[in-house]
């Protein structure tokens, strides 16, 4: 699987450099998500702008990442979705479950907003 990981202080960007997110790639991606979560990374931005096609195993790996991020009070944000990928998410009725934004820049802004909201909530408790 071809991908890059860019770790920042409050988030990590994973850019998939493959045309297809399918059964040949999904297991490696799931492992990477679990590893990053074990390292304490809770905010992930998944840049899918290069991915033209995904199948159910690709969606499964995304849902695992979403669950891992949520369980650590973080966010998974999908950015740069191509038409086919968005169509599959819509057909699967996952657009209300997943955080989807048009660009990585908007995803970064959303992570910072989430961090501020989380900090304010923690101070009130």
């Amino acid at each position: 699987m071809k991908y890059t990981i860019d770790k920042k202080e409050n988030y990590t960007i994973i850019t998939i450099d493959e045309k297809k997110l399918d059964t040949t790639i999904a297991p490696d991606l799931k492992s990477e998500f679990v590893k990053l979560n074990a390292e304490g990374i809770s905010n992930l931005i998944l840049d899918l702008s290069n991915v033209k096609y995904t199948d159910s195993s690709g969606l499964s790996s995304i849902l695992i990442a979403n669950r891992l991020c949520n369980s650590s009070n973080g966010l998974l944000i999908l950015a740069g979705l191509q038409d086919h990928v968005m169509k599959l998410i819509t057909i699967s009725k996952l657009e209300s479950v997943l955080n989807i934004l048009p660009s990585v820049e908007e995803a970064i802004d959303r992570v910072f907003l989430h961090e501020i909201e989380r900090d304010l909530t923690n101070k009130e408790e």
Side-chain angles (χ1 to χ4, degrees):
M1 176 175 83
K2 294 183 212 154
Y3 64 99
T4 56
I5 295 179
D6 185 12
K7 294 181 183 178
K8 303 291 185 188
E9 185 178 342
N10 292 324
Y11 60 90
T12 296
I13 301 171
I14 301 176
T15 303
I16 307 296
D17 293 321
E18 298 276 357
K19 298 277 186 226
K20 293 181 177 182
L21 177 53
D22 57 15
T23 55
T24 58
I25 294 171
D28 294 336
L29 191 56
K30 286 178 190 177
S31 298
E32 195 61 49
F33 290 145
V34 170
K35 188 171 87 175
L36 290 169
N37 185 260
E39 291 174 13
I41 294 169
S42 60
N43 294 313
L44 283 177
I45 298 170
L46 189 56
D47 182 359
L48 297 173
S49 55
N50 297 321
V51 177
K52 306 267 187 247
Y53 170 84
T54 190
D55 63 8
S56 60
S57 62
L59 276 183
S60 173
S61 65
I62 290 169
L63 289 172
I64 286 172
N66 193 53
R67 183 176 48 83
L68 290 169
C69 290
N70 287 339
S71 69
S72 58
N73 291 322
L75 277 180
L76 170 72
I77 302 175
L78 307 180
L81 281 104
Q82 300 290 323
D83 288 343
H84 180 273
V85 177
M86 189 63 208
K87 231 179 255 180
L88 184 60
I89 288 171
T90 303
I91 289 169
S92 304
K93 301 210 181 296
L94 293 173
E95 70 274 9
S96 62
V97 175
L98 299 169
N99 296 298
I100 302 167
L101 290 171
S103 69
V104 171
E105 292 76 21
E106 289 173 272
I108 292 168
D109 290 345
R110 181 64 186 98
V111 167
F112 281 112
L113 182 61
H114 174 75
E115 290 292 307
I116 291 168
E117 289 170 348
R118 189 170 69 180
D119 289 346
L120 288 173
T121 302
N122 289 341
K123 286 180 184 175
E124 290 173 1
E125 292 176 357

